[in-house]
């Protein structure tokens, strides 16, 4: 077979603020090609990408590579990389057969790719009752993040109150539901009335509000105090949460999306952190998911959490885009809050 074009999204330049489609992330339909039948596999597998996961942390990988961070920097001039769900087309690796679905933890944003053992592919079983794409979301890294961080740091007790920001995102919505299942009162913030509606009507949060039109401080004053703050945003919301948390409260620092597109501009600081934490005997835990995963946690994720998703006790939403061309816009849209639940791009048929 003759080589065919291999569509890709190239990471062209380090953004200073929000990534601009066509400038920092560029769709290239035929700048590369691949010979599906004859490409060398080097003992690995040739795959067709089916779903590409778009995640907020990826903005942090678009940086000067000399700056150290927990996630490796993407390389300017190369295809962007993130977790991708792929179908094996050809394989020299006995662990993978044509037709298998695999998760590539650092997969190229290209229609076809060759992966070897070093790329850490995992074989995926089609989940029961839910879409394969959930391996990018509620059954993937974001699900693991919500489940394991609450388990490690939440010390949730029925009757307590938990506040979660970005409550209609994939991590936030799972945190909210796990807390409800554990018998807590749950308050969730989001930036969109349509999302508030989903949180109230579908997820049955006790309180859900739009932080763009209602002050966090007013809500926590009325419906708090809180025992746990699950922070996905950082900035002012985190500062306010300190004011409304009970003694022995837990603050779980998962992300700080308000800062991701600020470039070199200064970060928001929590005022009088020591005084607040000491006087209330607070537990404050930041974490990167890969630093808190262990065998016991993974077993619990499979045995306790996964059935909740497959049996519909944990609900989820996906904002699903189609095709390569849209990826740069879809990535930006996530930082404009246009996604409800997990942002995923379907780039080929399952
Ligand atoms: N620590 C870890 O290991 C780990 C692992 C996974 C994820 N995370 C973090 O968890 C958080 C949620 O991630 P996710 O995958 O579930 O994403 P997500 O919530 O599904 O999507 C991003 C959402 O963030 C909100 N947002 C974007 N820009 C914002 C801004 N400037 N100010 C306030 N809100 C903004 C928007 O929701 P609204 O419409 O509600 O504003 C947007 O829909 C992120 O901070 C992410 O980095 C951490």
């Amino acid at each position: 077979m003759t080589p065919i074009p291999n569509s890709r999204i190239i990471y062209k330049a380090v953004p200073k603020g929000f990534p601009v489609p066509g400038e920092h992330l560029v769709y290239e339909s035929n700048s590369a090609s691949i010979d599906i039948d004859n490409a060398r596999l080097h003992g690995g597998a040739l795959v067709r990408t089916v779903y590409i996961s778009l995640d907020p942390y990826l903005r942090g990988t678009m940086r000067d590579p000399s700056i150290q961070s927990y996630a490796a920097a993407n390389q300017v001039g190369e295809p962007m990389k993130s977790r991708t769900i792929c179908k094996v087309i050809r394989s020299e690796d006995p662990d993978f057969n044509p037709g298998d679905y695999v998760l590539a933890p650092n997969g190229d944003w290209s229609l076809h790719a060759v992966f070897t053992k070093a790329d850490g592919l995992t074989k995926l079983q089609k989940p029961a009752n839910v879409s394969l794409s959930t391996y990018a979301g509620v059954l993937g890294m974001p699900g693991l993040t919500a489940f394991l961080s609450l388990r490690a740091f939440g010390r949730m007790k029925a009757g307590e109150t938990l506040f979660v920001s970005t409550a209609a995102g994939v991590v936030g919505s799972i945190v909210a539901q796990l807390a409800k299942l554990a018998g807590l009162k749950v308050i969730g913030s989001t930036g969109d009335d349509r999302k508030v509606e989903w949180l109230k009507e579908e997820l049955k949060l006790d309180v859900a509000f739009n932080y763009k039109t209602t002050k966090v401080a007013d809500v926590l004053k009325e419906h708090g105090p809180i025992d746990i703050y699950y922070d996905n945003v950082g900035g002012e919301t985190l500062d306010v949460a300190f004011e409304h948390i009970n003694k022995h409260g837990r603050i779980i620092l998962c992300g700080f999306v308000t800062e991701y597109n600020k470039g070199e501009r200064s970060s928001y600081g929590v005022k009088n952190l020591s005084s607040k934490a000491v006087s209330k005997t607070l537990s404050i835990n930041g974490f990167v998911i890969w630093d808190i995963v262990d065998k016991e946690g993974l077993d619990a994720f499979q045995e306790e959490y996964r059935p909740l998703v497959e049996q519909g006790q944990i609900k989820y939403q996906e904002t699903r885009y189609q095709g390569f061309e849209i990826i740069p816009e879809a990535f930006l849209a996530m930082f404009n809050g246009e996604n409800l639940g997990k942002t995923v791009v379907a780039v080929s048929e399952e």
Side-chain angles (χ1 to χ4, degrees):
M1 193 176 173
T2 49
I4 56 168
N6 194 16
S7 299
R8 306 180 302 168
I9 299 292
I10 303 295
Y11 166 39
K12 283 278 185 197
V14 178
K16 284 200 166 57
F18 284 88
V20 178
E23 185 178 335
H24 303 107
L25 292 176
V26 177
Y27 166 58
E28 294 189 357
S29 58
N30 57 11
S31 60
S33 59
I34 188 160
D35 184 333
I36 303 290
D37 296 324
N38 300 305
R40 295 183 65 185
L41 303 188
H42 309 286
L46 185 145
V47 303
R48 171 169 53 73
T49 311
V50 179
Y51 297 110
I52 291 177
S53 176
L54 303 189
D55 301 87
Y57 84 90
L58 290 169
R59 175 61 184 84
T61 70
M62 301 170 77
R63 64 174 191 273
D64 176 344
S66 68
I67 300 169
Q68 292 301 308
S69 185
Y70 63 92
N74 266 292
Q75 300 299 313
V76 168
E78 297 291 319
M80 270 292 279
K81 291 173 188 285
S82 69
R83 284 183 325 288
T84 58
I85 295 166
C86 309
K87 191 167 194 173
V88 175
I89 306 294
R90 286 171 50 220
S91 177
E92 292 174 352
D93 184 331
D95 289 344
F96 305 111
N97 294 312
D100 285 349
Y101 290 107
V102 291
L103 180 84
N106 216 16
D108 285 355
W109 289 9
S110 61
L111 184 55
H112 291 95
V114 173
F115 294 119
T116 64
K117 272 271 183 279
D119 295 306
L121 294 188
T122 318
K123 194 162 159 177
L124 300 172
Q125 300 302 333
K126 269 203 163 187
N129 306 322
V130 295
S131 155
L132 181 70
S133 57
T134 55
Y135 281 119
V138 73
L139 286 182
M141 182 277 279
L144 198 62
T145 297
F147 177 73
L148 288 191
S149 60
L150 271 182
R151 189 171 180 268
F153 310 123
R155 305 197 304 272
M156 293 191 288
K157 289 192 272 303
E160 288 188 329
T161 299
L162 174 144
F163 169 45
V164 55
S165 48
T166 314
V170 54
V171 172
S173 60
I174 300 166
V175 166
Q177 293 178 83
L178 288 170
K180 284 297 295 173
L181 286 170
L184 281 78
K185 170 178 168 181
V186 177
I187 304 171
S189 65
T190 181
D192 182 301
D193 289 343
R194 171 188 63 123
K195 299 187 194 180
V196 169
E197 207 54 28
W198 181 62
L199 293 172
K200 284 184 180 163
E201 298 304 319
E202 289 286 322
L203 303 195
K204 309 288 181 207
L205 264 61
D206 300 278
V207 181
F209 68 99
N210 183 339
Y211 66 85
K212 290 179 180 162
T213 52
T214 309
K215 281 194 173 150
V216 177
D218 291 347
V219 175
L220 296 188
K221 196 169 168 192
E222 185 181 348
H223 298 284
I226 59 177
D227 299 288
I228 303 170
Y229 173 46
Y230 196 100
D231 184 29
N232 285 316
V233 295
E236 197 179 345
T237 305
L238 173 60
D239 204 7
V240 170
F242 272 97
E243 303 291 340
H244 297 274
I245 195 158
N246 282 324
K247 268 194 119 174
H248 300 285
R250 284 81 74 196
I251 295 191
I252 304 174
L253 303 175
C254 175
F256 45 101
V257 68
T258 56
E259 304 287 326
Y260 294 174
N261 289 292
K262 285 192 176 165
E264 285 157 14
R265 278 182 289 142
S266 65
S267 299
Y268 191 98
V270 172
K271 294 179 222 75
N272 303 322
L273 171 63
S274 307
S275 145
K276 287 166 181 161
V278 170
S279 60
K280 290 184 176 175
T281 315
L282 300 181
S283 302
I284 303 172
N285 285 98
F287 72 96
V288 171
I289 182 57
W290 306 121
D291 294 334
I292 64 167
V293 176
D294 58 12
K295 164 95 175 59
E296 200 189 322
L298 281 177
D299 287 349
F301 181 75
Q302 292 299 339
E303 287 156 23
E304 294 169 28
Y305 169 85
R306 186 181 171 119
L308 296 175
V309 175
E310 292 184 327
Q311 291 159 15
Q313 279 173 275
I314 295 231
K315 299 189 169 77
Y316 70 96
Q317 286 278 349
E318 271 182 357
T319 297
R320 187 185 282 209
Y321 297 87
Q322 303 282 342
F324 266 92
E325 306 87 308
I326 195 75
I327 292 178
E329 281 82 11
F331 189 61
L332 180 62
M334 187 174 59
F335 294 110
N336 289 329
E338 289 172 37
N339 62 303
L340 174 58
K342 176 65 199 164
T343 307
V344 72
V345 187
V347 293
S348 69
E349 295 291 317
E350 285 184 19

